[in-house]
Amino acid sequence: MTWLMWRQHRKQLLFAVAALVVFGAFFVGTGRPMHDRFERAGLPGCLPAAREAPVVVDLGAQPGTPGPEPTLPEGVDKPPEPTVPGVDAAALADARCVQQARAFYGDYQTVPFVGLLLLVLPMLAGMFWGAPLVARELEAGTHRLVWTQGTSRLRWATTKFGLVTLAVLVLTAVYAAMLTWWIMPVIDTSGQRFSYIFFDIHGIVVFGYVVFALALGILAGAVTGRLLPAMSATVVGFIGVRLLVMLAARDHYMPTETRRTPNLDTSFATMRNDLNGDWIVATGAGFEGNSGYEVLTIHPIRQFWTFQAIETAIFVTLALGLLIGATYWTRRRIS
Amino acid sequence: MNGALVADGLTKRYRKTVALDRCSFAIPERSIVALVGPNGAGKSTLLHCATGLVRPTEGTLTVLGGQPGDPTLPRVGFVAQDAPLYRDFTADELLKMGGKLNREFDLPFARARLVDVGIPLDRPTDRLSGGQRAQVALCLALAKRPRLLLLDEPLASLDPLARREFLSALMDGVAEEHMTVVLSSHLLTDLERVCDHLMVLRSGQVQTLGATDELLAKHKRLIGPPQPRRPKITGVEQIVSAARAERQIELLVRTNGDILDPAWDQYDVSLEDVVLAYLEPRAGEALLDLEVAGA
């Protein structure tokens, strides 16, 4: 049985591995200079602390302070840090770090656009791995060959679905690891880890989306028995469910919290630190004398993995349901 | 009832059509049955029911004393219509697949057979001829050492030479085994040489089933004078078909005794005549009824 699966799907597997190699080359090729730049700017060291600061000094608004530091070639000592009167050294370091991060993120504005393309990648697994799995057998009539051997259709279905899912999960693991390495500097400097693009293309949700798309394709193929309708159904179903969960459900995974920013000191031109990555659902503002503050309704960044886990669980559960449906349908199928 | 394939009220309805309509029959073990009927008569549906590919709507079908599908599939060999094979597999890989998917599978036998009939084992099957593909499919089914072999229109897409080769390969494979074989076809001529039983299916109903020699002995062609009404002839069980010529009427009848009425001349029939008579959509009865009405 395993041999048959290998024999039938080895070309697809080879193709997927080749695609992974291409992705890998792209990630390494563009990721190396990006990581170099990230490290040279000292961001790995300063970001964890700077992210925690509720407000930062707006260096751009300070008279007589330098703009973003030029990136120095390796081996050249940094010039002594200029000081700003009235701002302590730690706050200044945070402010510089935030400034560096902004500059870095500004240089990699294209990455979210690449991310946009990666959003549809799981769907391709459903279209090209899932949909043909049963549909192609039915279209070619070979189900009449393979379902009339001495092995039960139930075993055929569970082995086939199981092994293909496993293979796709392994491929996804490699892909997700490469992608996460590649994109983390950009996510870290964006402060938008919860955004629709970043949240959806990295972390564990990718596994959920991939198995969901795959299972959807398999079921569509088993029900329609035709490849093209199954592929179309996969596209429509995947995009529909993803949008529904993303726009209507994700917000409600956990209760929101409110955060009141410290008073934003007008004399120092401090500003809200957007780098921490909280998901800001709503904002309000207030004034106290000479200074103002903001009231933010947020999903805090520390709940990021909870959100990822819930979203993954939703899609894995859907996928299991679809796979059970596909198995049932394959067994009962009228040919 | 005993038999390799026993149906009791077997019915299969699709959304709008009835493919099998209350079929009851028993195919005896070790018989070689020609299952004949026009396209759409329900032959494929019947064979698919026997493999578990199709579930009956009503009634039961017993295969080798068991349920169709998983429980009996290891003992049933099946070659579907157009002999579907994985087109990118070589014959050798298909045999390997057969070995993996069947607990009992005679791989050396299968390889030797294919070599015998001159089929290259290492060529993808989409580069084999239709006849060669049919041979590979047959070989896959025979290597299971089945007790029941079902072949759905095995000759339809083959040229005459390939048909002959296929049938002789089949008879070789069947000869020493105690195997029941059901071959379907819309033409009897293909199968007449090899079968010892005949089953005629029309519009989802079994018209007749029996050993060919008995069928030949039982059916007669009668030619006699035109009748004012439906003729009652002693020894005739059923008028299967009727045709009227100018001054005579010609009947094909199933007998249940000797026909002694001197008004009728009796002639022997061929198996082909029997099949055609049963496949005629009851034109005989209509013709006779018409005469009754006119009288």
Side-chain angles (χ1 to χ4, degrees):
Chain A
M1 207 51 186
T2 317
W3 175 82
L4 177 62
M5 299 304 145
W6 158 249
R7 174 64 189 82
Q8 277 190 293
H9 299 293
R10 61 185 185 189
K11 262 189 202 153
Q12 263 174 299
L13 191 66
L14 208 68
F15 188 78
V17 169
L20 265 191
V21 169
V22 172
F23 271 113
F26 170 76
F27 287 146
V28 171
T30 58
R32 286 276 298 280
M34 192 158 82
H35 275 77
D36 283 352
R37 164 110 162 68
F38 189 63
E39 271 158 42
R40 259 195 323 232
L43 286 164
C46 74
L47 264 180
R51 260 207 302 262
E52 298 299 316
V55 288
V56 289
V57 179
D58 187 354
L59 289 175
Q62 296 294 329
T65 51
E69 270 180 77
T71 346
L72 296 166
E74 264 176 281
V76 176
D77 284 339
K78 282 187 175 184
E81 308 262 329
T83 52
V84 178
V87 179
D88 69 50
L92 192 64
D94 286 346
R96 287 232 164 72
C97 192
V98 169
Q99 198 176 33
Q100 282 286 2
R102 289 235 172 99
F104 180 89
Y105 185 60
D107 284 354
Y108 290 102
Q109 287 287 336
T110 46
V111 167
F113 289 101
V114 179
L116 217 53
L117 291 177
L118 299 179
L119 279 177
V120 299
L121 215 58
M123 194 172 74
L124 299 184
M127 289 170 69
F128 295 106
W129 279 78
L133 220 52
V134 181
R136 204 152 56 189
E137 301 270 356
L138 292 168
E139 267 189 348
T142 43
H143 66 292
R144 293 176 296 164
L145 172 71
V146 76
W147 291 354
T148 54
Q149 303 296 314
T151 303
S152 77
R153 228 187 283 184
L154 178 65
R155 228 192 110 209
W156 178 86
T158 47
T159 313
K160 197 168 184 95
F161 302 166
L163 285 177
V164 168
T165 308
L166 194 71
V168 167
L169 280 178
V170 170
L171 293 169
T172 306
V174 176
Y175 162 78
M178 291 193 308
L179 174 98
T180 304
W181 171 81
W182 179 70
I183 208 164
M184 268 331 277
V186 179
I187 292 181
D188 276 345
T189 53
S190 71
Q192 296 171 31
R193 203 172 189 189
F194 264 119
S195 77
Y196 289 135
I197 289 177
F198 289 145
F199 182 91
D200 296 45
I201 61 170
H202 84 293
I204 55 173
V205 287
V206 183
F207 291 91
Y209 300 154
V210 166
V211 288
F212 171 68
L214 187 72
L216 188 62
I218 295 174
L219 178 68
V223 171
T224 63
R226 311 246 315 275
L227 186 56
L228 281 177
M231 286 170 115
S232 322
T234 308
V235 171
V236 173
F238 181 79
I239 293 179
V241 174
R242 278 276 280 108
L243 281 178
L244 192 74
V245 171
M246 183 168 96
L247 299 175
R250 192 181 292 165
D251 189 16
H252 305 292
Y253 291 167
M254 302 286 283
T256 53
E257 298 179 7
T258 14
R259 199 183 79 204
R260 183 185 184 281
T261 63
N263 288 1
L264 300 171
D265 193 327
T266 44
S267 62
F268 280 119
T270 49
M271 56 184 185
R272 190 176 81 207
N273 185 2
D274 284 334
L275 215 56
N276 60 15
D278 289 345
W279 179 2
I280 298 164
V281 181
T283 54
F287 285 97
E288 265 179 3
N290 216 7
S291 58
Y293 60 88
E294 283 181 304
V295 180
L296 306 175
T297 310
I298 57 158
H299 290 296
I301 190 67
R302 69 183 141 77
Q303 283 178 350
F304 178 79
W305 288 108
T306 314
F307 273 73
Q308 281 248 329
I310 292 170
E311 177 115 351
T312 309
I314 288 174
F315 279 92
V316 168
T317 309
L318 285 174
L320 282 177
L322 293 170
L323 280 177
I324 291 168
T327 309
Y328 176 81
W329 204 278
T330 304
R331 279 194 75 194
R332 302 277 314 186
R333 165 112 218 156
I334 299 157
S335 54
Chain B
M1 274 200 288
N2 287 321
L5 201 56
V6 182
D8 183 14
L10 183 68
T11 302
K12 176 67 197 177
R13 271 188 291 271
Y14 292 108
R15 224 163 284 166
K16 282 180 188 159
T17 55
V18 180
L20 292 174
D21 188 5
R22 289 158 293 163
C23 290
S24 296
F25 59 84
I27 288 176
E29 282 183 30
R30 298 185 197 184
S31 55
I32 298 178
V33 184
L35 172 59
V36 181
N39 295 328
K43 304 186 297 288
S44 288
T45 307
L46 177 59
L47 295 182
H48 283 189
C49 280
T51 57
L53 282 173
V54 166
R55 276 162 206 256
T57 319
E58 277 163 37
T60 56
L61 183 65
T62 313
V63 179
L64 301 170
Q67 267 188 357
D70 294 344
T72 45
L73 266 178
R75 290 178 290 150
V76 174
F78 176 56
V79 177
Q81 196 167 355
D82 305 323
L85 299 172
Y86 291 118
R87 290 305 184 100
D88 57 331
F89 280 41
T90 65
D92 210 30
E93 285 172 326
L94 282 167
L95 294 184
K96 186 172 179 185
M97 176 191 85
K100 301 269 182 194
L101 295 183
N102 293 285
R103 206 163 295 159
E104 275 174 64
F105 193 83
D106 199 336
L107 205 58
F109 156 84
R111 280 218 180 91
R113 265 187 69 89
L114 286 186
V115 172
D116 269 358
V117 290
I119 287 167
L121 291 176
D122 54 354
R123 194 181 294 174
T125 54
D126 61 353
R127 286 170 51 210
L128 297 176
S129 72
Q132 287 174 319
R133 271 200 295 277
Q135 292 277 15
V136 173
L138 174 66
C139 188
L140 262 172
L142 283 175
K144 281 171 91 171
R145 299 289 188 193
R147 281 188 51 209
L148 173 64
L149 181 63
L150 307 169
L151 308 171
D152 194 0
E153 300 266 2
L155 306 173
S157 59
L158 305 186
D159 62 57
L161 183 65
R163 281 175 194 213
R164 181 178 299 198
E165 283 172 352
F166 183 90
L167 286 177
S168 68
L170 172 68
M171 294 330 284
D172 283 352
V174 170
E176 60 273 39
E177 310 287 327
H178 301 300
M179 198 188 290
T180 309
V181 184
V182 181
L183 304 102
S184 78
S185 176
H186 58 278
L187 290 172
L188 172 73
T189 32
D190 290 336
L191 308 178
E192 199 167 5
R193 206 161 58 84
V194 297
C195 66
D196 55 27
H197 279 66
L198 172 70
M199 180 166 165
V200 178
L201 205 59
R202 185 171 67 81
S203 310
Q205 289 176 319
V206 181
Q207 304 298 310
T208 188
L209 165 64
T212 50
D213 48 358
E214 281 171 27
L215 288 175
L216 288 176
K218 261 186 136 177
H219 290 85
K220 295 280 180 217
R221 183 189 305 284
L222 300 183
I223 295 177
Q227 301 285 314
R229 53 174 52 89
R230 186 188 287 263
K232 290 254 189 295
I233 310 163
T234 321
V236 169
E237 185 190 343
Q238 185 200 341
I239 296 168
V240 182
S241 75
R244 201 170 65 146
E246 207 161 309
R247 249 173 264 144
Q248 62 184 29
I249 187 163
E250 188 183 321
L251 307 174
L252 198 143
V253 298
R254 184 162 70 220
T255 63
N256 54 6
D258 291 332
I259 293 165
L260 302 169
D261 190 338
W264 297 93
D265 295 330
Q266 303 182 33
Y267 300 92
D268 285 340
V269 293
S270 71
L271 213 51
E272 184 84 39
D273 294 334
V274 175
V275 170
L276 287 175
Y278 279 106
L279 290 186
E280 246 176 75
R282 289 287 171 260
E285 280 176 12
L287 181 71
L288 290 170
D289 285 341
L290 201 73
E291 293 197 2
V292 174

